[in-house]
Amino acid sequence: MEISKLRNIGIAAHIDAGKTTTSERILYYTGSNYKVGEVHEGTATMDWMEQERERGITITSAATTCAWKGYTINLIDTPGHVDFTVEVERSMRVLDGAVAVFCAVGGVEPQSETVWRQADKYHVPRIAFVNKMDRVGADFEAVVSAMRERLGACAIPLQLPIGAEDDFSGVVDLIDQKALYFSGVLGQKPSEGVIPAELAVKAQKGRDEIIEALSDFSDDIMTLYLEGKPVSSELIRKTLREVTIKLKAVPVLCGSAFKNKCVEPLLDAVVEYLPSPIDLPPIEGRSPSDPEKIIERHSSPDEPFTALAFKIAVDPFLGKIFFLRVYSGKLEKGSTLFNTASGKRERIGRIMRMHSNKREDIDSMEAGMIVAVPSLRDTRTGDTLCDEANPIVLESLEFPEPVISLAVEPATQQDKVKLSKGLNALSDEDPTFKVHNDEESGQTVISGMGELHLEIIVDRLKREFGVDVRVGNPQVAYREAIRKPARAEGKYIRQSGGRGQYGHVVFEIEPIEGNKFEFEDRIVGGVIPKEFITSVEKGLEDAIQSGVLGGYPVIGVKVALVDGSYHEVDSSEMAFKIAASMGFKEAMKKADPVLMEPVMSVEVVTPEDYVGDVIGDLSSRRGRIDGMDVRANARIIKAFVPLVGMFGYATDLRSKTSGRANYSMQFDHYEQTPAEVSEKILQGKI
């Protein structure tokens, strides 16, 4: 395999922008599928789970491989629903490029912004595809304008649509100044033609605008532009590729995947403008023995082997399957790798190339590839697998904390073991899904990113693991915080026959911005020996898991260890750990603790007739209206609403708007709960 002809790309967008439909057309046109799968018919290759086919949405990112004009494309189709944003996060971490799909009617929607930020975070070059140009209200120019305004993107349109809505028939290629039309039942016969007369001036202006935009990045184009000389299509493409890979610009194309129009030019753009693994900087990691030491690995089969386990999937026949992105080196099946996170060796008995939920066995994996391997014993999501003689630790993945919980219990005693097995497997697979046992109630509590997330988990427990479960009401993941600084001490002194226990600490605590916890060691003169400071920090980390109001985790607090004392014989790590916990609880009581609730950013798209009803309903849920926009013939209402007020909102919104409105929401921040609401929560009335 020639690495320069490899493209690792993802398809990412807001829910219902047409990601999976676009992926299905790509598989058809590249010859990977002999027929087109449709989302609305439940036949999409990339949506292989029963839950995906029933709901018509993507839940888990699916990987496949296809070929186009001598290039190999590893394609990952990611979910658009915010509850499954972790799938986008870990895909972006390992991709070299992305196709951001936008709805020509909806434009830049909330989840479009989220996936764009995720791509920025991992420095992923991307091209944009404005889909659904055949829909009523389609407006290509409005979407490009929204990309520039809302995403801050240097969006460079490479095409102009010929017609729109029902009249959409093809595109003008602005670089080569020609029209492309798509005929045949599946649009597989693109034909070149003359640019329609009414678009001729606009098309020339569009090419000039491409040259003008690129002149900011290329001295060659700038010189030709200023001298009024023609700029060749080859130079435009070469410069466009360079600026796209450097994240300075985003080429924009348009089409209608569902109507089989303009997918082939999109594939051409993928190989033309998105990078191969060798076009990107070498991957950086750290030495396991010296975290300050930076190690580089180039995308070459000749370098030491390095791979990142970015996803785990549970297979009913093979058990756990681990998805690996190989950054350097080459490895044959039957070889052994070293996991720098667990410190254990892992034997690679089988290597597979995935085609959605189907598998193809291969003999080796090498730099640039995305593969799957089964049966790794001590590997978790985000672990680095490498050559033991050349160890490296790659940057792991960060995942958001869950915001909603449910109590679950097996319907029968026989289901108890199956429930435990199923929950363990699903929590290994999904890092945003957490399981714990509530000590007070004895219940098993599952936590996730939203109602749909947990609904899918419960459904999978029933179907995949054969567990019939009873489900409690959803619970909000509240937090506790402090409003003022305080000082307190914690003493743990126990004297019994023989050696006793002695730990003594003095803390100063203060509120800080964000959801984090900070610890500062201000001990001078050795009043507490260094070996006990670590125990104090561990004691604090345990203590912040349970606050003083309702036992909720504590956020936004800085703790400084300022004083204390120790006993030469009786002091121990355990004594200081307990003293730290006692001192923190004491300090929190003095620091004016408050309850914090998760607040969601909500966007409702509704016909104008129902705007008053929607705003009134959001206000009744303690919502705060943040603004209103017009999009096509609909109104967009933006609001911040406490999560506790959003349970069951989908049903209420449908009934209030005769099913004509829809909404999306995602976690935004934690906010202090009003006193009267806080009182009800702590009394168990909410």
Side-chain angles (χ1 to χ4, degrees):
M1 181 188 68
E2 196 177 330
I3 298 181
S4 64
K5 293 204 165 183
L6 179 63
R7 299 289 182 270
N8 291 315
I9 66 161
I11 308 273
H14 185 86
I15 191 168
D16 206 29
K19 294 176 303 303
T20 302
T21 302
T22 304
S23 299
E24 292 300 317
R25 296 313 185 268
I26 287 173
L27 293 181
Y28 176 75
Y29 293 127
T30 57
S32 294
N33 279 0
Y34 67 91
K35 66 174 185 175
V36 173
E38 299 290 8
V39 174
H40 62 278
E41 293 174 359
T43 57
T45 304
M46 303 300 268
D47 284 351
W48 56 270
M49 291 171 66
E50 290 296 326
Q51 294 86 348
E52 293 177 314
R53 292 184 167 178
E54 286 173 1
R55 292 167 174 80
I57 62 169
T58 303
I59 292 168
T60 182
S61 53
T64 192
T65 302
C66 53
W68 181 252
K69 295 183 178 178
Y71 288 80
T72 300
I73 300 173
N74 287 324
L75 176 72
I76 296 182
D77 175 30
T78 65
H81 197 287
V82 68
D83 282 16
F84 311 105
T85 190
V86 63
E87 292 288 341
V88 187
E89 181 85 14
R90 54 185 171 191
S91 298
M92 287 296 178
R93 170 68 177 82
V94 299
L95 291 171
D96 299 328
V99 176
V101 180
F102 296 90
C103 172
V105 181
V108 178
E109 298 172 279
Q111 193 64 6
S112 312
E113 295 184 51
T114 303
V115 299
W116 199 267
R117 285 196 303 271
Q118 288 169 317
D120 282 339
K121 176 180 174 183
Y122 294 113
H123 309 293
V124 179
R126 68 217 80 143
I127 57 178
F129 180 62
V130 180
N131 192 27
K132 303 193 177 184
M133 284 301 302
D134 59 305
R135 287 269 303 276
V136 175
D139 190 334
F140 177 66
E141 290 176 8
V143 178
V144 173
S145 179
M147 286 177 63
R148 290 167 178 159
E149 289 169 19
R150 292 183 63 176
L151 303 176
C154 176
I156 302 179
L158 305 187
Q159 296 173 340
L160 277 181
I162 299 174
E165 303 180 355
D166 286 344
D167 297 326
F168 177 68
S169 57
V171 292
V172 174
D173 180 336
L174 295 176
I175 296 177
D176 289 332
Q177 290 289 292
K178 63 186 180 185
L180 292 172
Y181 296 95
F182 297 84
S183 58
V185 179
L186 288 168
Q188 64 270 60
K189 297 176 185 172
S191 59
E192 295 182 12
V194 179
I195 297 172
E198 67 273 15
L199 287 176
V201 175
K202 199 173 179 182
Q204 186 56 55
K205 187 183 174 204
R207 191 178 197 272
D208 292 342
E209 286 172 353
I210 295 173
I211 293 168
E212 191 178 336
L214 293 179
S215 66
D216 291 340
F217 309 112
S218 166
D219 291 340
D220 291 343
I221 291 182
M222 173 69 83
T223 303
L224 292 168
Y225 177 64
L226 292 175
E227 292 176 359
K229 293 179 179 176
V231 181
S232 70
S233 297
E234 290 72 27
L235 181 56
I236 291 175
R237 289 196 179 90
K238 175 177 173 286
T239 308
L240 198 53
R241 177 176 176 77
E242 289 168 1
V243 297
T244 302
I245 290 172
K246 289 177 182 173
L247 305 179
K248 291 178 179 175
V250 179
V252 185
L253 299 93
C254 63
S256 168
F258 181 60
K259 293 288 177 70
N260 312 301
K261 289 175 181 172
C262 309
V263 178
E264 292 101 321
L266 174 63
L267 279 163
D268 289 338
V270 165
V271 300
E272 188 91 54
Y273 305 120
L274 291 180
S276 72
I278 57 175
D279 293 320
L280 297 172
I283 190 80
E284 286 188 349
R286 297 183 182 275
S287 165
S289 55
D290 180 8
E292 297 299 312
K293 183 182 176 185
I294 303 292
I295 302 171
E296 286 188 348
R297 292 274 194 271
H298 293 82
S299 193
S300 163
D302 301 325
E303 294 246 330
F305 188 87
T306 308
L308 183 78
F310 69 94
K311 175 180 164 72
I312 299 172
V314 177
D315 184 276
F317 305 107
L318 293 175
K320 289 181 194 171
I321 296 177
F322 299 78
F323 285 76
L324 307 182
R325 164 64 201 266
V326 184
Y327 286 103
S328 64
K330 183 175 181 178
L331 193 82
E332 308 286 332
K333 66 180 180 184
S335 305
T336 301
L337 283 174
F338 181 65
N339 183 326
T340 48
S342 66
K344 303 282 181 68
R345 294 184 185 87
E346 296 277 20
R347 186 177 179 278
I348 309 298
R350 185 177 176 188
I351 303 171
M352 302 174 292
R353 184 180 279 135
M354 299 300 290
H355 297 282
S356 187
N357 64 329
K358 297 181 175 63
R359 298 173 286 273
E360 173 196 348
D361 279 284
I362 55 178
D363 294 327
S364 64
M365 51 180 162
E366 63 180 77
M369 293 176 73
I370 293 175
V371 298
V373 298
S375 313
L376 302 182
R377 289 174 304 170
D378 298 295
T379 298
R380 300 284 177 269
T381 302
D383 286 2
T384 304
L385 294 163
C386 60
D387 174 13
E388 190 170 1
N390 296 277
I392 184 174
V393 180
L394 300 178
E395 181 189 355
S396 192
L397 293 136
E398 292 179 10
F399 301 110
E401 286 296 311
V403 294
I404 184 172
S405 302
L406 286 176
V408 294
E409 59 181 40
T412 65
Q413 197 62 30
Q414 287 83 356
D415 283 333
K416 202 168 184 179
V417 175
K418 284 196 285 186
L419 175 64
S420 175
K421 184 182 174 185
L423 291 175
N424 286 337
L426 292 174
S427 63
D428 280 345
E429 182 180 303
D430 183 352
T432 59
F433 171 60
K434 302 283 177 69
V435 184
H436 75 274
N437 290 311
D438 188 299
E439 291 179 9
E440 289 181 21
S441 65
Q443 289 178 307
T444 299
V445 178
I446 60 173
S447 306
M449 301 306 295
E451 286 183 279
L452 179 62
H453 187 194
L454 295 184
E455 181 189 317
I456 297 293
I457 291 285
V458 170
D459 195 36
R460 290 187 65 189
L461 283 170
K462 289 177 181 174
R463 294 193 196 198
E464 293 174 32
F465 297 94
V467 188
D468 195 12
V469 291
R470 287 196 287 261
V471 179
N473 291 323
Q475 300 293 314
V476 175
Y478 293 105
R479 297 288 185 265
E480 295 182 27
I482 57 173
R483 285 192 287 191
K484 66 181 187 185
R487 183 183 174 102
E489 67 175 346
K491 268 188 179 178
Y492 180 67
I493 302 172
R494 290 287 181 275
Q495 206 61 52
S496 56
R499 185 177 170 180
Q501 295 284 351
Y502 185 96
H504 174 218
V505 292
V506 180
F507 290 136
E508 286 180 1
I509 70 171
E510 60 181 295
I512 57 172
E513 287 292 318
N515 301 334
K516 55 189 184 218
F517 156 72
E518 286 182 12
F519 172 71
E520 185 183 351
D521 173 16
R522 288 196 210 150
I523 292 296
V524 291
V527 292
I528 298 177
K530 280 268 187 276
E531 62 264 29
F532 295 135
I533 303 288
T534 308
S535 303
V536 171
E537 191 172 358
K538 282 180 183 167
L540 286 169
E541 286 169 357
D542 289 346
I544 64 166
Q545 299 306 317
S546 175
V548 296
L549 292 175
Y552 300 108
V554 181
I555 58 172
V557 63
K558 178 179 179 179
V559 182
L561 175 61
V562 295
D563 202 0
S565 61
Y566 77 105
H567 188 282
E568 286 190 358
V569 176
D570 291 351
S571 285
S572 66
E573 290 183 2
M574 183 55 71
F576 271 99
K577 202 171 172 184
I578 295 169
S581 182
M582 293 166 66
F584 178 74
K585 301 281 188 199
E586 194 59 39
M588 259 205 85
K589 288 174 188 172
K590 296 179 180 178
D592 198 6
V594 289
L595 201 62
M596 307 287 281
E597 63 183 350
V599 174
M600 313 303 282
S601 171
V602 179
E603 190 169 290
V604 184
V605 182
T606 177
E608 192 168 358
D609 301 353
Y610 304 105
V611 167
D613 291 340
V614 171
I615 289 176
D617 185 45
L618 288 171
S619 299
S620 72
R621 297 167 188 270
R622 292 194 288 124
R624 188 172 72 249
I625 306 301
D626 188 49
M628 195 154 62
D629 288 336
V630 179
R631 187 185 295 156
N633 54 355
R635 293 287 181 271
I636 317 299
I637 300 164
K638 299 176 182 177
F640 293 108
V641 191
L643 174 60
V644 70
M646 292 302 292
F647 292 144
Y649 183 63
T651 307
D652 290 348
L653 182 65
R654 274 198 296 270
S655 64
K656 279 186 167 53
T657 62
S658 304
R660 293 175 63 198
N662 59 65
Y663 81 104
S664 62
M665 73 173 185
Q666 60 191 66
F667 170 73
D668 194 84
H669 64 280
Y670 273 95
E671 201 171 273
Q672 186 181 326
T673 312
E676 66 276 11
V677 178
S678 180
E679 203 173 305
K680 288 179 181 175
I681 291 166
L682 295 174
Q683 289 172 358
K685 294 178 181 176
I686 292 184

